[in-house]
Amino acid sequence: FGKEPLLAVKEKYIEYYDKYQANLKKLNQLLQMQKNREMHLQDLEFKYDELNKINTRDNEENELENELRILKNYENIYKLVSEAEETVKGNSEENSSLSDKVFLLQKNISQLSGIDHNFKAYSERISLLADLIGEISHFISSYLSDFEFSRERLDEVQQRLFQLSEVKKKYNIDLENIGEYIEKIKDEIEGYQSLDQDIEKVENELLLIKREL
């Protein structure tokens, strides 16, 4: 008859004992953190400030690497684009533009398709080709009008890429994950800053559990 209440008391005791041990372990961990708080907090705050100053944007490294290739190959790009423009637009009355030649070809194929239906499939495709060449011509003209070389910009791009590379090596992180890494450091800083309150809370919990034991 008395076994059931005794068993319940024993189970309750084990429950509180386990809870006491868990809180005691947590308290020891917090006290250890408190002991090394100053050193760790200083290191974390330095990392946090340094990474925030980097101020990276999405896909920045890829964009800068592409810009660097363009700046380093400025002369070759200018030559190739100029030749492409000459091919598309022509450079004299004798050397007609590619657009003019495609227009003439389109006209001839259109007339031929009215005579021989075997040309009809090509008539529509040449129309698409004419549109494409028009787009290419417009893009090349716009590209050349905005295309310029700047030694200062080349130096800026190289310096920024070096800075990003150093951060990646120093912290062993990918730039696309830098935001998550900064948030993790911020959480650790806040954890150290609230350490005294956390210790006090666990100590109070231990006192309450002791009263129940």
PDB file of all heavy atoms in Angstrom, residues 181-192:
ATOM      1  N   TYR A 181      27.957  34.824 -41.056  1.00  0.00           N
ATOM      2  CA  TYR A 181      29.113  34.773 -40.148  1.00  0.00           C
ATOM      3  C   TYR A 181      29.099  35.979 -39.197  1.00  0.00           C
ATOM      4  O   TYR A 181      29.363  35.839 -38.002  1.00  0.00           O
ATOM      5  CB  TYR A 181      30.399  34.751 -40.961  1.00  0.00           C
ATOM      6  CG  TYR A 181      31.645  34.464 -40.164  1.00  0.00           C
ATOM      7  CD1 TYR A 181      31.862  33.214 -39.597  1.00  0.00           C
ATOM      8  CD2 TYR A 181      32.610  35.442 -39.975  1.00  0.00           C
ATOM      9  CE1 TYR A 181      33.009  32.947 -38.862  1.00  0.00           C
ATOM     10  CE2 TYR A 181      33.764  35.185 -39.239  1.00  0.00           C
ATOM     11  CZ  TYR A 181      33.959  33.936 -38.685  1.00  0.00           C
ATOM     12  OH  TYR A 181      35.087  33.680 -37.954  1.00  0.00           O
ATOM     13  N   ILE A 182      28.762  37.149 -39.735  1.00  0.00           N
ATOM     14  CA  ILE A 182      28.688  38.363 -38.912  1.00  0.00           C
ATOM     15  C   ILE A 182      27.593  38.230 -37.860  1.00  0.00           C
ATOM     16  O   ILE A 182      27.769  38.610 -36.702  1.00  0.00           O
ATOM     17  CB  ILE A 182      28.439  39.605 -39.804  1.00  0.00           C
ATOM     18  CG1 ILE A 182      29.701  39.927 -40.631  1.00  0.00           C
ATOM     19  CG2 ILE A 182      28.071  40.815 -38.961  1.00  0.00           C
ATOM     20  CD1 ILE A 182      29.509  41.010 -41.668  1.00  0.00           C
ATOM     21  N   GLU A 183      26.440  37.672 -38.270  1.00  0.00           N
ATOM     22  CA  GLU A 183      25.328  37.479 -37.326  1.00  0.00           C
ATOM     23  C   GLU A 183      25.708  36.503 -36.213  1.00  0.00           C
ATOM     24  O   GLU A 183      25.323  36.687 -35.055  1.00  0.00           O
ATOM     25  CB  GLU A 183      24.098  36.959 -38.074  1.00  0.00           C
ATOM     26  CG  GLU A 183      23.329  38.033 -38.820  1.00  0.00           C
ATOM     27  CD  GLU A 183      22.846  39.162 -37.931  1.00  0.00           C
ATOM     28  OE1 GLU A 183      22.231  38.864 -36.881  1.00  0.00           O
ATOM     29  OE2 GLU A 183      23.095  40.333 -38.252  1.00  0.00           O
ATOM     30  N   LYS A 184      26.468  35.466 -36.578  1.00  0.00           N
ATOM     31  CA  LYS A 184      26.922  34.487 -35.586  1.00  0.00           C
ATOM     32  C   LYS A 184      27.835  35.155 -34.553  1.00  0.00           C
ATOM     33  O   LYS A 184      27.710  34.912 -33.337  1.00  0.00           O
ATOM     34  CB  LYS A 184      27.669  33.356 -36.292  1.00  0.00           C
ATOM     35  CG  LYS A 184      28.141  32.251 -35.359  1.00  0.00           C
ATOM     36  CD  LYS A 184      28.918  31.197 -36.114  1.00  0.00           C
ATOM     37  CE  LYS A 184      29.495  30.159 -35.163  1.00  0.00           C
ATOM     38  NZ  LYS A 184      30.355  29.168 -35.876  1.00  0.00           N
ATOM     39  N   ILE A 185      28.745  36.006 -35.030  1.00  0.00           N
ATOM     40  CA  ILE A 185      29.656  36.726 -34.127  1.00  0.00           C
ATOM     41  C   ILE A 185      28.860  37.668 -33.227  1.00  0.00           C
ATOM     42  O   ILE A 185      29.118  37.781 -32.023  1.00  0.00           O
ATOM     43  CB  ILE A 185      30.704  37.523 -34.936  1.00  0.00           C
ATOM     44  CG1 ILE A 185      31.658  36.559 -35.659  1.00  0.00           C
ATOM     45  CG2 ILE A 185      31.499  38.453 -34.025  1.00  0.00           C
ATOM     46  CD1 ILE A 185      32.613  37.242 -36.605  1.00  0.00           C
ATOM     47  N   LYS A 186      27.869  38.332 -33.807  1.00  0.00           N
ATOM     48  CA  LYS A 186      27.022  39.253 -33.035  1.00  0.00           C
ATOM     49  C   LYS A 186      26.306  38.517 -31.894  1.00  0.00           C
ATOM     50  O   LYS A 186      26.228  39.010 -30.768  1.00  0.00           O
ATOM     51  CB  LYS A 186      25.996  39.906 -33.959  1.00  0.00           C
ATOM     52  CG  LYS A 186      25.121  40.930 -33.288  1.00  0.00           C
ATOM     53  CD  LYS A 186      24.108  41.504 -34.269  1.00  0.00           C
ATOM     54  CE  LYS A 186      23.167  42.472 -33.574  1.00  0.00           C
ATOM     55  NZ  LYS A 186      22.113  42.978 -34.506  1.00  0.00           N
ATOM     56  N   ASP A 187      25.791  37.318 -32.215  1.00  0.00           N
ATOM     57  CA  ASP A 187      25.109  36.505 -31.192  1.00  0.00           C
ATOM     58  C   ASP A 187      26.073  36.115 -30.069  1.00  0.00           C
ATOM     59  O   ASP A 187      25.700  36.125 -28.887  1.00  0.00           O
ATOM     60  CB  ASP A 187      24.514  35.240 -31.823  1.00  0.00           C
ATOM     61  CG  ASP A 187      23.327  35.546 -32.731  1.00  0.00           C
ATOM     62  OD1 ASP A 187      22.757  36.642 -32.606  1.00  0.00           O
ATOM     63  OD2 ASP A 187      22.995  34.693 -33.573  1.00  0.00           O
ATOM     64  N   GLU A 188      27.315  35.778 -30.437  1.00  0.00           N
ATOM     65  CA  GLU A 188      28.319  35.411 -29.429  1.00  0.00           C
ATOM     66  C   GLU A 188      28.657  36.601 -28.537  1.00  0.00           C
ATOM     67  O   GLU A 188      28.818  36.459 -27.321  1.00  0.00           O
ATOM     68  CB  GLU A 188      29.579  34.884 -30.108  1.00  0.00           C
ATOM     69  CG  GLU A 188      29.414  33.508 -30.738  1.00  0.00           C
ATOM     70  CD  GLU A 188      30.724  32.981 -31.306  1.00  0.00           C
ATOM     71  OE1 GLU A 188      31.738  33.045 -30.589  1.00  0.00           O
ATOM     72  OE2 GLU A 188      30.727  32.519 -32.465  1.00  0.00           O
ATOM     73  N   ILE A 189      28.769  37.781 -29.154  1.00  0.00           N
ATOM     74  CA  ILE A 189      29.061  39.003 -28.387  1.00  0.00           C
ATOM     75  C   ILE A 189      27.944  39.267 -27.380  1.00  0.00           C
ATOM     76  O   ILE A 189      28.195  39.552 -26.204  1.00  0.00           O
ATOM     77  CB  ILE A 189      29.229  40.217 -29.339  1.00  0.00           C
ATOM     78  CG1 ILE A 189      30.534  40.086 -30.143  1.00  0.00           C
ATOM     79  CG2 ILE A 189      29.239  41.532 -28.551  1.00  0.00           C
ATOM     80  CD1 ILE A 189      30.697  41.115 -31.242  1.00  0.00           C
ATOM     81  N   GLU A 190      26.706  39.166 -27.850  1.00  0.00           N
ATOM     82  CA  GLU A 190      25.558  39.398 -26.963  1.00  0.00           C
ATOM     83  C   GLU A 190      25.506  38.358 -25.849  1.00  0.00           C
ATOM     84  O   GLU A 190      25.098  38.665 -24.729  1.00  0.00           O
ATOM     85  CB  GLU A 190      24.263  39.380 -27.781  1.00  0.00           C
ATOM     86  CG  GLU A 190      24.126  40.594 -28.698  1.00  0.00           C
ATOM     87  CD  GLU A 190      22.929  40.501 -29.627  1.00  0.00           C
ATOM     88  OE1 GLU A 190      22.282  39.423 -29.672  1.00  0.00           O
ATOM     89  OE2 GLU A 190      22.628  41.505 -30.308  1.00  0.00           O
ATOM     90  N   GLY A 191      25.931  37.125 -26.178  1.00  0.00           N
ATOM     91  CA  GLY A 191      25.985  36.071 -25.170  1.00  0.00           C
ATOM     92  C   GLY A 191      26.964  36.402 -24.057  1.00  0.00           C
ATOM     93  O   GLY A 191      26.664  36.221 -22.871  1.00  0.00           O
ATOM     94  N   TYR A 192      28.127  36.916 -24.435  1.00  0.00           N
ATOM     95  CA  TYR A 192      29.134  37.300 -23.430  1.00  0.00           C
ATOM     96  C   TYR A 192      28.668  38.521 -22.633  1.00  0.00           C
ATOM     97  O   TYR A 192      28.921  38.618 -21.427  1.00  0.00           O
ATOM     98  CB  TYR A 192      30.469  37.602 -24.101  1.00  0.00           C
ATOM     99  CG  TYR A 192      31.325  36.380 -24.343  1.00  0.00           C
ATOM    100  CD1 TYR A 192      31.497  35.874 -25.622  1.00  0.00           C
ATOM    101  CD2 TYR A 192      31.945  35.730 -23.283  1.00  0.00           C
ATOM    102  CE1 TYR A 192      32.276  34.741 -25.855  1.00  0.00           C
ATOM    103  CE2 TYR A 192      32.726  34.600 -23.489  1.00  0.00           C
ATOM    104  CZ  TYR A 192      32.890  34.113 -24.776  1.00  0.00           C
ATOM    105  OH  TYR A 192      33.661  32.987 -24.992  1.00  0.00           O
TER     106      TYR A 192
END
